[in-house]
Amino acid sequence: MITIRDVTESDVIAISVLNVSAFGQTNEARLVDTLRDQGCIAHELVAVEQDDAGQDDIIGYICFSKFVSPEGWLALAPVSVRSTRQGHGIGGDLIRYGLDRARQDRADAVVVLGDPIYYHRFGFVFGGPAKLTSPYPEQFMGIYPLAPVTAAAEVTLVYPAPFLEA
């Protein structure tokens, strides 16, 4: 049985290992560590299942960071799932839980840089009425508007410094 819960201090090393394994390099692990160290994270969640010893085994992770500007907007990055568990809906569950948490926290919008086909199924809009300016390719920028005014917003996204260093 898989459970999704908030990250605890004891999860940090396992999250780093998962991110390196899932992405095949260290950029995402370094990004998350630096975002955490600089207080830029709004919330982080892990998907866990119990191992044979009854301990939580982390099989998925998602991070939502605070934009420098606009205030109240969040960046979804990264989402990772253990390679042996990919394709079983764990990433999708993490995204849905994370978006619900963003809604509960009264975030204005969530932005993702990713595959439009994948993220569209969760309600992200690519190439819609919102005009997002960022250092990243526009065709891969999706918005999940939570406050009605953000659906057609014209904003320049200012990411926390660790994104630009990753």
Side-chain angles (χ1 to χ4, degrees):
M1 180 169 152
I2 297 172
T3 304
I4 295 177
R5 63 166 173 76
D6 289 323
V7 167
T8 66
E9 185 65 33
S10 64
D11 298 330
V12 171
I13 292 172
I15 290 167
S16 290
V17 170
L18 173 66
N19 282 330
V20 170
S21 173
F23 291 100
Q25 43 86 19
T26 61
N27 289 0
E28 283 76 11
R30 282 196 324 264
L31 171 64
V32 169
D33 289 343
T34 307
L35 287 167
R36 195 181 292 123
D37 291 346
Q38 294 184 12
C40 300
I41 294 178
H43 62 271
E44 322 173 68
L45 300 169
V46 287
V48 298
E49 59 186 0
Q50 298 290 304
D51 64 17
D52 293 337
Q55 300 294 315
D56 280 352
D57 184 22
I58 295 175
I59 58 172
Y61 170 77
I62 195 167
C63 180
F64 291 82
S65 304
K66 299 175 259 185
F67 278 100
V68 174
S69 177
E71 189 174 324
W73 288 46
L74 303 178
L76 185 170
V79 58
S80 56
V81 176
R82 185 178 295 163
S83 60
T84 59
R85 301 303 302 274
Q86 291 177 4
H88 295 96
I90 297 165
D93 287 346
L94 283 164
I95 292 167
R96 282 187 283 281
Y97 274 75
L99 292 172
D100 189 52
R101 173 68 62 80
R103 186 178 303 104
Q104 291 172 21
D105 291 346
R106 302 210 188 291
D108 291 327
V110 177
V111 174
V112 68
L113 177 66
D115 178 0
I117 294 169
Y118 180 75
Y119 286 100
H120 180 73
R121 73 178 85 174
F122 303 104
F124 283 89
V125 178
F126 292 79
K131 303 293 184 236
L132 308 177
T133 303
S134 84
Y136 303 109
E138 182 180 325
Q139 68 268 27
F140 298 109
M141 299 288 306
I143 182 171
Y144 186 88
L146 293 164
V149 68
T150 61
E154 291 188 31
V155 299
T156 297
L157 300 170
V158 180
Y159 283 81
F163 277 96
L164 305 175
E165 299 162 4

PDB file of all heavy atoms in Angstrom, residues 34-65:
ATOM      1  N   THR A  34      19.474  22.723  -2.434  1.00  0.00           N
ATOM      2  CA  THR A  34      19.713  24.167  -2.358  1.00  0.00           C
ATOM      3  C   THR A  34      18.415  24.927  -2.104  1.00  0.00           C
ATOM      4  O   THR A  34      18.390  25.864  -1.305  1.00  0.00           O
ATOM      5  CB  THR A  34      20.398  24.669  -3.646  1.00  0.00           C
ATOM      6  OG1 THR A  34      21.572  23.881  -3.883  1.00  0.00           O
ATOM      7  CG2 THR A  34      20.808  26.118  -3.520  1.00  0.00           C
ATOM      8  N   LEU A  35      17.330  24.533  -2.772  1.00  0.00           N
ATOM      9  CA  LEU A  35      16.033  25.165  -2.504  1.00  0.00           C
ATOM     10  C   LEU A  35      15.657  25.010  -1.031  1.00  0.00           C
ATOM     11  O   LEU A  35      15.193  25.969  -0.394  1.00  0.00           O
ATOM     12  CB  LEU A  35      14.943  24.540  -3.377  1.00  0.00           C
ATOM     13  CG  LEU A  35      14.940  24.893  -4.851  1.00  0.00           C
ATOM     14  CD1 LEU A  35      14.016  23.969  -5.627  1.00  0.00           C
ATOM     15  CD2 LEU A  35      14.548  26.354  -5.065  1.00  0.00           C
ATOM     16  N   ARG A  36      15.872  23.826  -0.493  1.00  0.00           N
ATOM     17  CA  ARG A  36      15.547  23.552   0.911  1.00  0.00           C
ATOM     18  C   ARG A  36      16.419  24.410   1.830  1.00  0.00           C
ATOM     19  O   ARG A  36      15.931  25.050   2.758  1.00  0.00           O
ATOM     20  CB  ARG A  36      15.736  22.063   1.200  1.00  0.00           C
ATOM     21  CG  ARG A  36      15.103  21.610   2.488  1.00  0.00           C
ATOM     22  CD  ARG A  36      15.336  20.135   2.742  1.00  0.00           C
ATOM     23  NE  ARG A  36      14.627  19.284   1.801  1.00  0.00           N
ATOM     24  CZ  ARG A  36      15.205  18.377   1.009  1.00  0.00           C
ATOM     25  NH1 ARG A  36      16.506  18.194   1.035  1.00  0.00           N
ATOM     26  NH2 ARG A  36      14.474  17.647   0.192  1.00  0.00           N
ATOM     27  N   ASP A  37      17.723  24.443   1.548  1.00  0.00           N
ATOM     28  CA  ASP A  37      18.665  25.214   2.373  1.00  0.00           C
ATOM     29  C   ASP A  37      18.346  26.708   2.367  1.00  0.00           C
ATOM     30  O   ASP A  37      18.562  27.390   3.363  1.00  0.00           O
ATOM     31  CB  ASP A  37      20.110  25.011   1.897  1.00  0.00           C
ATOM     32  CG  ASP A  37      20.629  23.607   2.160  1.00  0.00           C
ATOM     33  OD1 ASP A  37      19.996  22.860   2.945  1.00  0.00           O
ATOM     34  OD2 ASP A  37      21.674  23.245   1.554  1.00  0.00           O
ATOM     35  N   GLN A  38      17.834  27.211   1.244  1.00  0.00           N
ATOM     36  CA  GLN A  38      17.545  28.639   1.119  1.00  0.00           C
ATOM     37  C   GLN A  38      16.110  29.005   1.486  1.00  0.00           C
ATOM     38  O   GLN A  38      15.698  30.151   1.339  1.00  0.00           O
ATOM     39  CB  GLN A  38      17.885  29.120  -0.292  1.00  0.00           C
ATOM     40  CG  GLN A  38      19.379  29.051  -0.577  1.00  0.00           C
ATOM     41  CD  GLN A  38      19.758  29.599  -1.932  1.00  0.00           C
ATOM     42  OE1 GLN A  38      18.966  30.252  -2.616  1.00  0.00           O
ATOM     43  NE2 GLN A  38      20.986  29.347  -2.344  1.00  0.00           N
ATOM     44  N   GLY A  39      15.330  28.023   1.963  1.00  0.00           N
ATOM     45  CA  GLY A  39      13.965  28.290   2.404  1.00  0.00           C
ATOM     46  C   GLY A  39      13.001  28.626   1.285  1.00  0.00           C
ATOM     47  O   GLY A  39      12.018  29.339   1.497  1.00  0.00           O
ATOM     48  N   CYS A  40      13.247  28.092   0.096  1.00  0.00           N
ATOM     49  CA  CYS A  40      12.423  28.409  -1.076  1.00  0.00           C
ATOM     50  C   CYS A  40      11.289  27.420  -1.311  1.00  0.00           C
ATOM     51  O   CYS A  40      10.481  27.622  -2.221  1.00  0.00           O
ATOM     52  CB  CYS A  40      13.304  28.442  -2.325  1.00  0.00           C
ATOM     53  SG  CYS A  40      14.630  29.665  -2.274  1.00  0.00           S
ATOM     54  N   ILE A  41      11.217  26.363  -0.529  1.00  0.00           N
ATOM     55  CA  ILE A  41      10.218  25.318  -0.778  1.00  0.00           C
ATOM     56  C   ILE A  41       8.913  25.631  -0.047  1.00  0.00           C
ATOM     57  O   ILE A  41       8.917  25.930   1.143  1.00  0.00           O
ATOM     58  CB  ILE A  41      10.764  23.933  -0.375  1.00  0.00           C
ATOM     59  CG1 ILE A  41      11.922  23.556  -1.295  1.00  0.00           C
ATOM     60  CG2 ILE A  41       9.664  22.875  -0.411  1.00  0.00           C
ATOM     61  CD1 ILE A  41      12.578  22.232  -0.977  1.00  0.00           C
ATOM     62  N   ALA A  42       7.816  25.554  -0.793  1.00  0.00           N
ATOM     63  CA  ALA A  42       6.490  25.733  -0.200  1.00  0.00           C
ATOM     64  C   ALA A  42       6.040  24.431   0.453  1.00  0.00           C
ATOM     65  O   ALA A  42       5.554  24.440   1.588  1.00  0.00           O
ATOM     66  CB  ALA A  42       5.483  26.163  -1.261  1.00  0.00           C
ATOM     67  N   HIS A  43       6.179  23.325  -0.262  1.00  0.00           N
ATOM     68  CA  HIS A  43       5.893  22.011   0.319  1.00  0.00           C
ATOM     69  C   HIS A  43       6.514  20.906  -0.538  1.00  0.00           C
ATOM     70  O   HIS A  43       6.741  21.083  -1.733  1.00  0.00           O
ATOM     71  CB  HIS A  43       4.399  21.774   0.559  1.00  0.00           C
ATOM     72  CG  HIS A  43       3.541  21.793  -0.651  1.00  0.00           C
ATOM     73  ND1 HIS A  43       2.969  22.920  -1.153  1.00  0.00           N
ATOM     74  CD2 HIS A  43       3.135  20.793  -1.468  1.00  0.00           C
ATOM     75  CE1 HIS A  43       2.244  22.635  -2.215  1.00  0.00           C
ATOM     76  NE2 HIS A  43       2.336  21.356  -2.444  1.00  0.00           N
ATOM     77  N   GLU A  44       6.818  19.799   0.142  1.00  0.00           N
ATOM     78  CA  GLU A  44       7.383  18.616  -0.501  1.00  0.00           C
ATOM     79  C   GLU A  44       6.607  17.406  -0.001  1.00  0.00           C
ATOM     80  O   GLU A  44       6.252  17.336   1.162  1.00  0.00           O
ATOM     81  CB  GLU A  44       8.843  18.368  -0.135  1.00  0.00           C
ATOM     82  CG  GLU A  44       9.732  19.521   0.016  1.00  0.00           C
ATOM     83  CD  GLU A  44      11.107  19.136   0.538  1.00  0.00           C
ATOM     84  OE1 GLU A  44      11.880  18.467  -0.171  1.00  0.00           O
ATOM     85  OE2 GLU A  44      11.410  19.521   1.678  1.00  0.00           O
ATOM     86  N   LEU A  45       6.390  16.467  -0.903  1.00  0.00           N
ATOM     87  CA  LEU A  45       5.673  15.244  -0.559  1.00  0.00           C
ATOM     88  C   LEU A  45       6.469  14.038  -1.031  1.00  0.00           C
ATOM     89  O   LEU A  45       7.196  14.120  -2.020  1.00  0.00           O
ATOM     90  CB  LEU A  45       4.296  15.221  -1.226  1.00  0.00           C
ATOM     91  CG  LEU A  45       3.332  16.352  -0.882  1.00  0.00           C
ATOM     92  CD1 LEU A  45       2.135  16.323  -1.822  1.00  0.00           C
ATOM     93  CD2 LEU A  45       2.899  16.263   0.561  1.00  0.00           C
ATOM     94  N   VAL A  46       6.304  12.924  -0.331  1.00  0.00           N
ATOM     95  CA  VAL A  46       6.887  11.666  -0.759  1.00  0.00           C
ATOM     96  C   VAL A  46       5.799  10.607  -0.836  1.00  0.00           C
ATOM     97  O   VAL A  46       4.813  10.646  -0.099  1.00  0.00           O
ATOM     98  CB  VAL A  46       8.013  11.164   0.188  1.00  0.00           C
ATOM     99  CG1 VAL A  46       9.265  12.008   0.030  1.00  0.00           C
ATOM    100  CG2 VAL A  46       7.567  11.118   1.629  1.00  0.00           C
ATOM    101  N   ALA A  47       6.003   9.669  -1.762  1.00  0.00           N
ATOM    102  CA  ALA A  47       5.177   8.463  -1.839  1.00  0.00           C
ATOM    103  C   ALA A  47       6.001   7.356  -1.191  1.00  0.00           C
ATOM    104  O   ALA A  47       7.168   7.155  -1.552  1.00  0.00           O
ATOM    105  CB  ALA A  47       4.855   8.112  -3.282  1.00  0.00           C
ATOM    106  N   VAL A  48       5.425   6.686  -0.221  1.00  0.00           N
ATOM    107  CA  VAL A  48       6.153   5.648   0.518  1.00  0.00           C
ATOM    108  C   VAL A  48       5.324   4.373   0.578  1.00  0.00           C
ATOM    109  O   VAL A  48       4.101   4.397   0.499  1.00  0.00           O
ATOM    110  CB  VAL A  48       6.505   6.096   1.960  1.00  0.00           C
ATOM    111  CG1 VAL A  48       7.419   7.307   1.955  1.00  0.00           C
ATOM    112  CG2 VAL A  48       5.259   6.393   2.776  1.00  0.00           C
ATOM    113  N   GLU A  49       6.044   3.281   0.703  1.00  0.00           N
ATOM    114  CA  GLU A  49       5.411   2.017   1.047  1.00  0.00           C
ATOM    115  C   GLU A  49       6.273   1.366   2.114  1.00  0.00           C
ATOM    116  O   GLU A  49       7.455   1.677   2.249  1.00  0.00           O
ATOM    117  CB  GLU A  49       5.183   1.133  -0.171  1.00  0.00           C
ATOM    118  CG  GLU A  49       6.397   0.753  -0.944  1.00  0.00           C
ATOM    119  CD  GLU A  49       6.043  -0.010  -2.216  1.00  0.00           C
ATOM    120  OE1 GLU A  49       4.862  -0.248  -2.500  1.00  0.00           O
ATOM    121  OE2 GLU A  49       6.975  -0.372  -2.933  1.00  0.00           O
ATOM    122  N   GLN A  50       5.679   0.490   2.884  1.00  0.00           N
ATOM    123  CA  GLN A  50       6.392  -0.164   3.973  1.00  0.00           C
ATOM    124  C   GLN A  50       7.291  -1.270   3.429  1.00  0.00           C
ATOM    125  O   GLN A  50       6.853  -2.079   2.607  1.00  0.00           O
ATOM    126  CB  GLN A  50       5.401  -0.768   4.973  1.00  0.00           C
ATOM    127  CG  GLN A  50       4.498   0.249   5.644  1.00  0.00           C
ATOM    128  CD  GLN A  50       5.253   1.126   6.616  1.00  0.00           C
ATOM    129  OE1 GLN A  50       5.891   0.627   7.531  1.00  0.00           O
ATOM    130  NE2 GLN A  50       5.180   2.430   6.428  1.00  0.00           N
ATOM    131  N   ASP A  51       8.552  -1.292   3.887  1.00  0.00           N
ATOM    132  CA  ASP A  51       9.435  -2.394   3.507  1.00  0.00           C
ATOM    133  C   ASP A  51       9.196  -3.567   4.456  1.00  0.00           C
ATOM    134  O   ASP A  51       8.326  -3.517   5.330  1.00  0.00           O
ATOM    135  CB  ASP A  51      10.902  -1.957   3.471  1.00  0.00           C
ATOM    136  CG  ASP A  51      11.445  -1.529   4.831  1.00  0.00           C
ATOM    137  OD1 ASP A  51      10.835  -1.840   5.880  1.00  0.00           O
ATOM    138  OD2 ASP A  51      12.516  -0.890   4.851  1.00  0.00           O
ATOM    139  N   ASP A  52       9.961  -4.636   4.304  1.00  0.00           N
ATOM    140  CA  ASP A  52       9.763  -5.844   5.119  1.00  0.00           C
ATOM    141  C   ASP A  52       9.971  -5.599   6.604  1.00  0.00           C
ATOM    142  O   ASP A  52       9.424  -6.319   7.434  1.00  0.00           O
ATOM    143  CB  ASP A  52      10.698  -6.962   4.640  1.00  0.00           C
ATOM    144  CG  ASP A  52      10.328  -7.441   3.244  1.00  0.00           C
ATOM    145  OD1 ASP A  52       9.156  -7.258   2.843  1.00  0.00           O
ATOM    146  OD2 ASP A  52      11.213  -7.988   2.557  1.00  0.00           O
ATOM    147  N   ALA A  53      10.748  -4.574   6.940  1.00  0.00           N
ATOM    148  CA  ALA A  53      11.012  -4.253   8.345  1.00  0.00           C
ATOM    149  C   ALA A  53      10.007  -3.249   8.894  1.00  0.00           C
ATOM    150  O   ALA A  53      10.126  -2.813  10.036  1.00  0.00           O
ATOM    151  CB  ALA A  53      12.437  -3.710   8.498  1.00  0.00           C
ATOM    152  N   GLY A  54       9.021  -2.865   8.088  1.00  0.00           N
ATOM    153  CA  GLY A  54       8.013  -1.917   8.549  1.00  0.00           C
ATOM    154  C   GLY A  54       8.452  -0.467   8.452  1.00  0.00           C
ATOM    155  O   GLY A  54       7.789   0.419   8.981  1.00  0.00           O
ATOM    156  N   GLN A  55       9.548  -0.205   7.753  1.00  0.00           N
ATOM    157  CA  GLN A  55      10.053   1.158   7.576  1.00  0.00           C
ATOM    158  C   GLN A  55       9.511   1.744   6.280  1.00  0.00           C
ATOM    159  O   GLN A  55       9.250   1.015   5.321  1.00  0.00           O
ATOM    160  CB  GLN A  55      11.592   1.153   7.531  1.00  0.00           C
ATOM    161  CG  GLN A  55      12.241   0.598   8.787  1.00  0.00           C
ATOM    162  CD  GLN A  55      11.981   1.476   9.994  1.00  0.00           C
ATOM    163  OE1 GLN A  55      12.091   2.693   9.924  1.00  0.00           O
ATOM    164  NE2 GLN A  55      11.594   0.860  11.098  1.00  0.00           N
ATOM    165  N   ASP A  56       9.372   3.061   6.244  1.00  0.00           N
ATOM    166  CA  ASP A  56       8.946   3.735   5.025  1.00  0.00           C
ATOM    167  C   ASP A  56      10.036   3.638   3.967  1.00  0.00           C
ATOM    168  O   ASP A  56      11.194   3.983   4.213  1.00  0.00           O
ATOM    169  CB  ASP A  56       8.651   5.220   5.296  1.00  0.00           C
ATOM    170  CG  ASP A  56       7.290   5.442   5.922  1.00  0.00           C
ATOM    171  OD1 ASP A  56       6.507   4.485   6.005  1.00  0.00           O
ATOM    172  OD2 ASP A  56       7.007   6.592   6.316  1.00  0.00           O
ATOM    173  N   ASP A  57       9.672   3.171   2.797  1.00  0.00           N
ATOM    174  CA  ASP A  57      10.560   3.095   1.643  1.00  0.00           C
ATOM    175  C   ASP A  57      10.063   4.136   0.645  1.00  0.00           C
ATOM    176  O   ASP A  57       8.953   4.019   0.108  1.00  0.00           O
ATOM    177  CB  ASP A  57      10.516   1.684   1.045  1.00  0.00           C
ATOM    178  CG  ASP A  57      11.485   1.492  -0.093  1.00  0.00           C
ATOM    179  OD1 ASP A  57      12.475   2.245  -0.184  1.00  0.00           O
ATOM    180  OD2 ASP A  57      11.239   0.583  -0.910  1.00  0.00           O
ATOM    181  N   ILE A  58      10.857   5.166   0.402  1.00  0.00           N
ATOM    182  CA  ILE A  58      10.450   6.256  -0.480  1.00  0.00           C
ATOM    183  C   ILE A  58      10.570   5.814  -1.932  1.00  0.00           C
ATOM    184  O   ILE A  58      11.639   5.426  -2.386  1.00  0.00           O
ATOM    185  CB  ILE A  58      11.297   7.513  -0.211  1.00  0.00           C
ATOM    186  CG1 ILE A  58      11.008   8.018   1.211  1.00  0.00           C
ATOM    187  CG2 ILE A  58      11.005   8.594  -1.248  1.00  0.00           C
ATOM    188  CD1 ILE A  58      11.862   9.177   1.651  1.00  0.00           C
ATOM    189  N   ILE A  59       9.440   5.888  -2.640  1.00  0.00           N
ATOM    190  CA  ILE A  59       9.422   5.478  -4.048  1.00  0.00           C
ATOM    191  C   ILE A  59       9.053   6.631  -4.980  1.00  0.00           C
ATOM    192  O   ILE A  59       9.114   6.477  -6.197  1.00  0.00           O
ATOM    193  CB  ILE A  59       8.469   4.288  -4.267  1.00  0.00           C
ATOM    194  CG1 ILE A  59       7.051   4.618  -3.818  1.00  0.00           C
ATOM    195  CG2 ILE A  59       8.992   3.048  -3.553  1.00  0.00           C
ATOM    196  CD1 ILE A  59       6.020   3.563  -4.177  1.00  0.00           C
ATOM    197  N   GLY A  60       8.676   7.783  -4.416  1.00  0.00           N
ATOM    198  CA  GLY A  60       8.335   8.936  -5.229  1.00  0.00           C
ATOM    199  C   GLY A  60       8.495  10.223  -4.446  1.00  0.00           C
ATOM    200  O   GLY A  60       8.458  10.215  -3.210  1.00  0.00           O
ATOM    201  N   TYR A  61       8.672  11.311  -5.174  1.00  0.00           N
ATOM    202  CA  TYR A  61       8.918  12.610  -4.539  1.00  0.00           C
ATOM    203  C   TYR A  61       8.416  13.726  -5.452  1.00  0.00           C
ATOM    204  O   TYR A  61       8.503  13.630  -6.676  1.00  0.00           O
ATOM    205  CB  TYR A  61      10.421  12.796  -4.305  1.00  0.00           C
ATOM    206  CG  TYR A  61      10.808  14.190  -3.881  1.00  0.00           C
ATOM    207  CD1 TYR A  61      10.594  14.619  -2.577  1.00  0.00           C
ATOM    208  CD2 TYR A  61      11.375  15.077  -4.779  1.00  0.00           C
ATOM    209  CE1 TYR A  61      10.939  15.901  -2.189  1.00  0.00           C
ATOM    210  CE2 TYR A  61      11.717  16.363  -4.405  1.00  0.00           C
ATOM    211  CZ  TYR A  61      11.499  16.766  -3.108  1.00  0.00           C
ATOM    212  OH  TYR A  61      11.826  18.042  -2.719  1.00  0.00           O
ATOM    213  N   ILE A  62       7.917  14.805  -4.833  1.00  0.00           N
ATOM    214  CA  ILE A  62       7.529  16.006  -5.570  1.00  0.00           C
ATOM    215  C   ILE A  62       7.841  17.234  -4.727  1.00  0.00           C
ATOM    216  O   ILE A  62       7.737  17.193  -3.496  1.00  0.00           O
ATOM    217  CB  ILE A  62       6.034  15.975  -5.972  1.00  0.00           C
ATOM    218  CG1 ILE A  62       5.712  17.020  -7.022  1.00  0.00           C
ATOM    219  CG2 ILE A  62       5.145  16.111  -4.749  1.00  0.00           C
ATOM    220  CD1 ILE A  62       4.354  16.848  -7.674  1.00  0.00           C
ATOM    221  N   CYS A  63       8.230  18.310  -5.421  1.00  0.00           N
ATOM    222  CA  CYS A  63       8.601  19.556  -4.755  1.00  0.00           C
ATOM    223  C   CYS A  63       7.857  20.721  -5.385  1.00  0.00           C
ATOM    224  O   CYS A  63       7.736  20.798  -6.614  1.00  0.00           O
ATOM    225  CB  CYS A  63      10.118  19.763  -4.902  1.00  0.00           C
ATOM    226  SG  CYS A  63      10.740  21.257  -4.125  1.00  0.00           S
ATOM    227  N   PHE A  64       7.366  21.616  -4.560  1.00  0.00           N
ATOM    228  CA  PHE A  64       6.737  22.863  -4.991  1.00  0.00           C
ATOM    229  C   PHE A  64       7.501  24.009  -4.345  1.00  0.00           C
ATOM    230  O   PHE A  64       7.542  24.114  -3.116  1.00  0.00           O
ATOM    231  CB  PHE A  64       5.264  22.917  -4.570  1.00  0.00           C
ATOM    232  CG  PHE A  64       4.399  21.952  -5.312  1.00  0.00           C
ATOM    233  CD1 PHE A  64       4.327  20.620  -4.936  1.00  0.00           C
ATOM    234  CD2 PHE A  64       3.649  22.370  -6.397  1.00  0.00           C
ATOM    235  CE1 PHE A  64       3.534  19.723  -5.627  1.00  0.00           C
ATOM    236  CE2 PHE A  64       2.845  21.477  -7.093  1.00  0.00           C
ATOM    237  CZ  PHE A  64       2.788  20.152  -6.707  1.00  0.00           C
ATOM    238  N   SER A  65       8.104  24.859  -5.182  1.00  0.00           N
ATOM    239  CA  SER A  65       8.908  25.981  -4.704  1.00  0.00           C
ATOM    240  C   SER A  65       8.164  27.290  -4.897  1.00  0.00           C
ATOM    241  O   SER A  65       7.327  27.421  -5.795  1.00  0.00           O
ATOM    242  CB  SER A  65      10.220  26.056  -5.482  1.00  0.00           C
ATOM    243  OG  SER A  65      10.906  24.850  -5.394  1.00  0.00           O
TER     244      SER A  65
END
